[in-house]
Amino acid sequence: MVNFDAATAVNADLADGVRPREHLGRDRFLSTGNAPPVEWVIADGLLDYPSAVAEMEARVAAIATGTAAERIWLVEHPPLYTAGTSAKADDLIAPDRFPVYATGRGGEYTYHGPGQRVVYVMLDLKRRRQDVRGFVAALESWAIAVLWRFSLRGLRREDRVGVWIARPDKPDIAPGQPAEDKIAAIGIRLRKWVSFHGISLNVDPDLSHFDGIVPCGIRGYGVTSLADLGLIVSMPEVDVILREEFEAIFGPTVVSPVIPS
């Protein structure tokens, strides 16, 4: 089992001088052999977090034994905070504001809530490539490609995981350090080389809800969304583009029945 703490890995990569994720992200992450298409499932309504984790656990176990196809599961949650394996107590600013769930994914505190598209990524890297850094870079590239479809330039930063938007309309963070806001977060876990958890894209959440944590443990930077940037789009519109850009990097999908929330 791998609990992937992306931030720690990024810092180690910088110290070791390994190939930047920017270059890794140009690679496709296709399945080999005759694997079936990835199931594409969209949940109705708001899904409680423990149910989502239980469903992912069961699906990942089935994928690992070869008895189920890979799956991408798109959900929305009621307002909540999750604590990854590297979460620091000081980064939970408002512990009583929303439910807080400890989770096995890498990373620190994140917020999930209505208006945020959470994408649970259950892919078998044994069928693809057993390369955790390359996989994270591919997930970042997926989010960046989706943003580009909305004429937004998503940024990858070698010292910070996730996808960022430059904010020249805001004051510099420090002299010579322009403001940037996070629009997509990434946190994954691997079990027998099958991934779960995944990415979250801020479409139109209540951004004030992020004030109860230090998102992903990164201080000094803000959080944004498509709506905050002046793009009012529906979740189904976002979902269509997510699927198209996923297929460009990871290969074909097939729509599966909705999992009840």
Side-chain angles (χ1 to χ4, degrees):
M1 182 186 301
V2 177
N3 293 323
F4 182 64
D5 185 334
T8 299
V10 167
N11 290 335
D13 291 345
L14 290 172
D16 293 343
V18 300
R19 187 181 179 202
R21 293 187 339 278
E22 178 64 40
H23 297 291
L24 292 172
R26 298 172 187 170
D27 300 334
R28 300 183 75 192
F29 225 89
L30 299 174
S31 182
T32 58
N34 296 317
V38 177
E39 290 186 1
W40 189 268
V41 184
I42 302 176
D44 285 331
L46 299 179
L47 179 67
D48 71 276
Y49 191 75
S51 296
V53 172
E55 176 65 30
M56 279 194 291
E57 293 269 1
R59 186 66 178 206
V60 165
I63 293 171
T65 59
T67 57
E70 298 171 300
R71 173 181 283 172
I72 297 295
W73 188 20
L74 286 71
V75 311
E76 284 182 88
H77 289 301
L80 59 93
Y81 298 129
T82 66
T85 54
S86 299
K88 301 178 179 65
D90 290 347
D91 289 342
L92 181 59
I93 299 168
D96 299 323
R97 188 172 185 182
F98 299 125
V100 181
Y101 296 98
T103 181
R105 61 158 176 78
E108 304 188 30
Y109 282 104
T110 60
Y111 166 77
H112 296 315
Q116 182 191 69
R117 178 50 89 203
V118 177
V119 186
Y120 290 127
V121 179
M122 289 163 270
L123 298 180
D124 188 349
L125 301 196
K126 295 191 304 297
R127 305 179 192 175
R128 295 173 181 273
R129 192 164 71 247
Q130 291 174 250
D131 177 356
V132 179
R133 291 181 62 252
F135 180 54
V136 171
L139 294 175
E140 290 174 332
S141 292
W142 177 22
I144 288 168
V146 170
L147 293 171
W148 189 248
R149 295 282 295 274
F150 294 104
S151 300
L152 292 174
R153 185 187 178 199
L155 303 171
R156 178 189 280 111
R157 293 302 185 222
E158 290 301 321
D159 61 338
R160 295 176 253 133
V161 171
V163 179
W164 301 80
I165 298 290
R167 298 304 302 266
D169 55 315
K170 291 186 174 183
D172 287 357
I173 296 171
Q177 189 175 0
E180 293 179 352
D181 288 347
K182 195 170 196 175
I183 195 168
I186 297 174
I188 63 168
R189 186 179 184 182
L190 298 177
R191 179 177 295 150
K192 297 182 179 179
W193 286 102
V194 179
S195 69
F196 56 124
H197 298 282
I199 72 175
S200 58
L201 176 65
N202 296 332
V203 179
D204 188 14
D206 185 337
L207 294 180
S208 71
H209 289 180
F210 286 88
D211 295 344
I213 58 172
V214 178
C216 301
I218 301 174
R219 298 179 182 271
Y221 293 91
V223 180
T224 191
S225 67
L226 296 180
D228 182 49
L229 296 168
L231 295 165
I232 307 304
V233 296
S234 70
M235 198 66 78
E237 289 177 281
V238 172
D239 292 345
V240 168
I241 294 174
L242 277 165
R243 186 181 179 195
E244 291 174 352
E245 297 302 335
F246 174 88
E247 291 185 332
I249 296 172
F250 295 95
T253 65
V254 60
V255 174
S256 291
V258 169
I259 298 174
S261 57

